[in-house]
């Protein structure tokens, strides 16, 4: 009986190295709209160009994991309460083996900042997508893409905090009450200007209908004012006024947006 011979395995196909990916295409606008604000409006001589800081983009899931680790067992900030993880807000039910979680009060700086800045960030993301569609200058488009990515991730973290704390993303309290600022007047509410630096609905419409270099210039003008307002809000979160992760995020926002303001001034001077 002739012994059977096994054929030698064919050589594994050679896999060519992946080509370097092309720059990301213009992303589509987020499908999920911003949570409505209780007031009814949505979010709506040239210096050398400074280097822009590179900030990490965090996923919402990663942000929640970080927040849970940092806030569990942390010292209570002013106006906070201790709650066991898994315990429903306003109840005395324990989660068994759960851990104590720092939960800022409803009228606290941490909750007010997270709610209002989430709305503020949503408008910045919308502004960025509009110039990505209509703008012409690649430097402006690159900046807009960075702003959209960064602020969308930060917004996800703040909404994640609110969910972790058992706080709703909206409230009957007026916008900016946590900074003891007067509430927006009727005209401001009609135009969607609920917080410092926000563009009006008319300005957002103009940005949507403008194209080319004119869109670049308008974006830089509106976003510079928007960032100034954002810096003012972030500076309202002071050491000891909120849990440390919130303080660190606000500090990073202020530093990053100041840098982007300098960059936008430089870009605007170049565009003329």
């Amino acid at each position: 009986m002739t012994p059977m011979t096994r054929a030698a395995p064919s050589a594994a196909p050679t896999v060519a190295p992946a080509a370097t990916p092309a720059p990301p295409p213009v992303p589509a606008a987020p499908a999920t709209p911003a949570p409505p604000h209780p007031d009814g409006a949505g979010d709506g001589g040239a210096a050398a160009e400074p280097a822009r800081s590179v900030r990490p983009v965090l996923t919402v899931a990663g942000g929640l994991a970080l927040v849970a680790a940092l806030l569990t067992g942390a010292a209570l900030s002013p106006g906070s309460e201790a709650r066991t993880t898994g315990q429903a807000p306003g109840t005395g039910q324990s989660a068994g083996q759960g851990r104590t979680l720092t939960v800022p009060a409803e009228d606290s700086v941490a909750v007010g900042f997270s709610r209002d800045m989430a709305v503020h960030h949503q408008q910045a993301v919308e502004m960025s997508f509009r110039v990505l569609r209509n703008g012409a200058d690649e430097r402006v488009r690159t900046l807009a893409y960075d702003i959209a990515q960064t602020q969308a991730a930060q917004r996800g973290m703040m909404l994640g905090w609110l969910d972790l704390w058992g706080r709703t993303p909206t409230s009957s309290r007026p916008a900016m009450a946590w900074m003891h600022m007067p509430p927006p007047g009727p005209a401001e509410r009609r135009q969607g200007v609920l917080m410092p630096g926000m563009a009006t609905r008319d300005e957002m419409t103009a940005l949507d209908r403008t194209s080319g270099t004119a869109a670049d210039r308008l974006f830089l003008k509106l976003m510079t004012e928007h960032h100034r307002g954002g810096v003012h809000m972030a500076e309202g979160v002071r050491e000891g006024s909120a849990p440390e992760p919130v303080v660190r995020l606000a500090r990073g926002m202020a530093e990053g947006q100041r840098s982007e303001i300098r960059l936008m001034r430089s870009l605007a001077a170049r565009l003329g």
Side-chain angles (χ1 to χ4, degrees):
M1 184 172 180
T2 306
M4 296 180 62
T5 59
R6 282 164 49 184
S10 57
T14 302
V15 179
T20 302
V26 176
T32 304
H37 194 276
D39 287 320
D43 255 299
E49 179 174 327
R52 288 179 23 234
S53 59
V54 178
R55 287 164 290 163
V57 176
L58 300 176
T59 63
V60 175
L64 282 172
L66 175 63
V67 172
L70 290 172
L71 293 187
T72 299
L76 291 176
S77 59
S80 301
E81 62 186 68
R83 182 186 301 157
T84 304
T85 52
Q87 176 180 326
T91 73
Q93 299 300 317
S94 172
Q97 298 301 317
R99 295 171 294 177
T100 300
L101 179 69
T102 300
V103 178
E106 178 66 23
D107 60 350
S108 65
V109 168
V111 171
F113 168 78
S114 298
R115 280 182 178 142
D116 286 355
M117 191 62 91
V119 176
H120 200 269
H121 270 30
Q122 178 63 18
Q123 190 185 64
V125 172
E126 292 174 3
M127 291 167 65
S128 298
F129 278 120
R130 294 183 192 198
V131 81
L132 280 167
R133 287 194 301 266
N134 303 334
D137 189 276
E138 284 305 312
R139 295 164 301 182
V140 174
R141 288 165 55 82
T142 298
L143 171 64
Y145 184 81
D146 181 61
I147 290 173
Q149 291 285 89
T150 300
Q151 297 211 13
Q154 291 174 342
R155 181 174 183 271
M157 287 187 68
M158 291 181 288
L159 293 176
W161 283 339
L162 292 170
D163 183 66
L164 187 67
W165 295 331
R167 306 300 181 192
T168 59
T170 60
S171 168
S172 59
R173 291 173 60 82
M176 300 304 298
W178 59 278
M179 283 190 73
H180 308 291
M181 292 180 61
E188 292 172 312
R189 289 199 300 271
R190 282 194 297 270
Q191 279 293 320
V193 181
L194 302 177
M195 293 128 206
M198 288 185 68
T200 67
R201 289 194 174 97
D202 291 344
E203 288 170 331
M204 293 292 286
T205 299
L207 182 60
D208 200 39
R209 294 176 178 175
T210 307
S211 61
T213 303
D216 296 329
R217 291 194 188 100
L218 181 57
F219 170 79
L220 292 173
K221 175 179 178 291
L222 296 178
M223 189 60 81
T224 296
E225 290 303 313
H226 199 275
H227 271 25
R228 285 181 180 142
V231 169
H232 175 68
M233 293 170 67
E235 288 176 341
V237 183
R238 297 180 176 85
E239 198 73 36
S241 68
E244 186 58 28
V246 181
V247 174
R248 287 203 300 269
L249 178 64
R251 187 186 304 126
M253 285 180 186
E255 292 171 355
Q257 292 189 29
R258 286 192 199 99
S259 175
E260 288 172 344
I261 288 172
R262 292 192 294 270
L263 175 59
M264 288 189 285
R265 286 173 176 164
S266 175
L267 291 174
R270 292 186 180 194
L271 293 176

